Amino acid sequence: MHRMTGNPRPLRTAALLLAFAAAAVGLAFAATAGSAPPPTQRVFTMVAVEPKGGTTVDKEPFPGEPLPEGQGYVLKAPDPKTGRWEVSTYRWEPSQIVVYQGDTVVLEILGVNGDVHPSTIEQYVPAFEVRRGRVTRLRFTANTPGFFKIECLTHRPSMVGYLVVLPRP
Ligand SMILES: [Cu+2]
């Protein structure tokens, strides 16, 4: 009778110890199961840019072959007065973003070249825009592993990057 109504403290202490032990075993297991760090927020800064090169026909002839179709490549014919010709392309910089499954991804994308870039991230962001002189912030959780296109719909085919979501080991 005395035991039944006894101080429950020892029982509570035992339960607490058991909980600590379970947590410690869990942490140890997580540390040895794989090399991925725990899910975390990853912030990346990106820019929409247009690297450009040019010369004059007296130094280098204008290329005879056209570039692949799409507004992502720009080949300007020689200026009749100066003979200068130019080539440029629209790009995301960086064009690959790598995270682990479960990470929260924050992209801060500055528009530098081009007035507007109507874009998508396959499976994650159906539509977003990047405008010159402004930062577009995107935030999502990378739940599905795989390769996903980060694509400007105007400047194809060059303004295509990849979000790479590594499966959590
Ligand atoms: Cu674009």
mmCIF file with all atom_site columns, all heavy atoms in Angstrom, residues 117 152 155 159, ligand 1:
data_model
loop_
_atom_site.group_PDB
_atom_site.id
_atom_site.type_symbol
_atom_site.label_atom_id
_atom_site.label_alt_id
_atom_site.label_comp_id
_atom_site.label_asym_id
_atom_site.label_entity_id
_atom_site.label_seq_id
_atom_site.pdbx_PDB_ins_code
_atom_site.Cartn_x
_atom_site.Cartn_y
_atom_site.Cartn_z
_atom_site.occupancy
_atom_site.B_iso_or_equiv
_atom_site.pdbx_formal_charge
_atom_site.auth_seq_id
_atom_site.auth_comp_id
_atom_site.auth_asym_id
_atom_site.auth_atom_id
_atom_site.pdbx_PDB_model_num
ATOM   1  N  N   . HIS A 1 117 ? 13.315 39.364 -66.986 1.00 0.00 ? 117 HIS A N   1
ATOM   2  C  CA  . HIS A 1 117 ? 13.509 37.935 -67.270 1.00 0.00 ? 117 HIS A CA  1
ATOM   3  C  C   . HIS A 1 117 ? 12.351 37.143 -66.659 1.00 0.00 ? 117 HIS A C   1
ATOM   4  O  O   . HIS A 1 117 ? 12.356 36.857 -65.458 1.00 0.00 ? 117 HIS A O   1
ATOM   5  C  CB  . HIS A 1 117 ? 14.846 37.447 -66.687 1.00 0.00 ? 117 HIS A CB  1
ATOM   6  C  CG  . HIS A 1 117 ? 16.014 38.233 -67.167 1.00 0.00 ? 117 HIS A CG  1
ATOM   7  N  ND1 . HIS A 1 117 ? 16.672 37.949 -68.346 1.00 0.00 ? 117 HIS A ND1 1
ATOM   8  C  CD2 . HIS A 1 117 ? 16.626 39.323 -66.646 1.00 0.00 ? 117 HIS A CD2 1
ATOM   9  C  CE1 . HIS A 1 117 ? 17.647 38.831 -68.516 1.00 0.00 ? 117 HIS A CE1 1
ATOM   10 N  NE2 . HIS A 1 117 ? 17.643 39.670 -67.495 1.00 0.00 ? 117 HIS A NE2 1
ATOM   11 N  N   . CYS A 1 152 ? 15.002 31.081 -67.840 1.00 0.00 ? 152 CYS A N   1
ATOM   12 C  CA  . CYS A 1 152 ? 14.387 32.317 -68.336 1.00 0.00 ? 152 CYS A CA  1
ATOM   13 C  C   . CYS A 1 152 ? 13.695 31.982 -69.648 1.00 0.00 ? 152 CYS A C   1
ATOM   14 O  O   . CYS A 1 152 ? 14.300 31.415 -70.552 1.00 0.00 ? 152 CYS A O   1
ATOM   15 C  CB  . CYS A 1 152 ? 15.429 33.406 -68.556 1.00 0.00 ? 152 CYS A CB  1
ATOM   16 S  SG  . CYS A 1 152 ? 14.747 34.823 -69.445 1.00 0.00 ? 152 CYS A SG  1
ATOM   17 N  N   . HIS A 1 155 ? 15.244 34.229 -72.772 1.00 0.00 ? 155 HIS A N   1
ATOM   18 C  CA  . HIS A 1 155 ? 16.611 34.056 -73.271 1.00 0.00 ? 155 HIS A CA  1
ATOM   19 C  C   . HIS A 1 155 ? 17.028 32.590 -73.342 1.00 0.00 ? 155 HIS A C   1
ATOM   20 O  O   . HIS A 1 155 ? 17.954 32.148 -72.655 1.00 0.00 ? 155 HIS A O   1
ATOM   21 C  CB  . HIS A 1 155 ? 17.578 34.888 -72.414 1.00 0.00 ? 155 HIS A CB  1
ATOM   22 C  CG  . HIS A 1 155 ? 17.262 36.351 -72.450 1.00 0.00 ? 155 HIS A CG  1
ATOM   23 N  ND1 . HIS A 1 155 ? 16.814 37.057 -71.353 1.00 0.00 ? 155 HIS A ND1 1
ATOM   24 C  CD2 . HIS A 1 155 ? 17.302 37.230 -73.486 1.00 0.00 ? 155 HIS A CD2 1
ATOM   25 C  CE1 . HIS A 1 155 ? 16.596 38.317 -71.700 1.00 0.00 ? 155 HIS A CE1 1
ATOM   26 N  NE2 . HIS A 1 155 ? 16.888 38.445 -72.987 1.00 0.00 ? 155 HIS A NE2 1
ATOM   27 N  N   . MET A 1 159 ? 20.062 30.865 -71.059 1.00 0.00 ? 159 MET A N   1
ATOM   28 C  CA  . MET A 1 159 ? 19.784 31.313 -69.698 1.00 0.00 ? 159 MET A CA  1
ATOM   29 C  C   . MET A 1 159 ? 19.029 30.224 -68.935 1.00 0.00 ? 159 MET A C   1
ATOM   30 O  O   . MET A 1 159 ? 17.910 30.412 -68.470 1.00 0.00 ? 159 MET A O   1
ATOM   31 C  CB  . MET A 1 159 ? 18.998 32.625 -69.715 1.00 0.00 ? 159 MET A CB  1
ATOM   32 C  CG  . MET A 1 159 ? 19.191 33.445 -68.465 1.00 0.00 ? 159 MET A CG  1
ATOM   33 S  SD  . MET A 1 159 ? 18.477 35.079 -68.631 1.00 0.00 ? 159 MET A SD  1
ATOM   34 C  CE  . MET A 1 159 ? 18.834 35.705 -66.998 1.00 0.00 ? 159 MET A CE  1
HETATM 35 CU CU  . CU  B 2 .   ? 16.351 36.381 -69.524 1.00 0.00 ? 1   CU  B CU  1
#
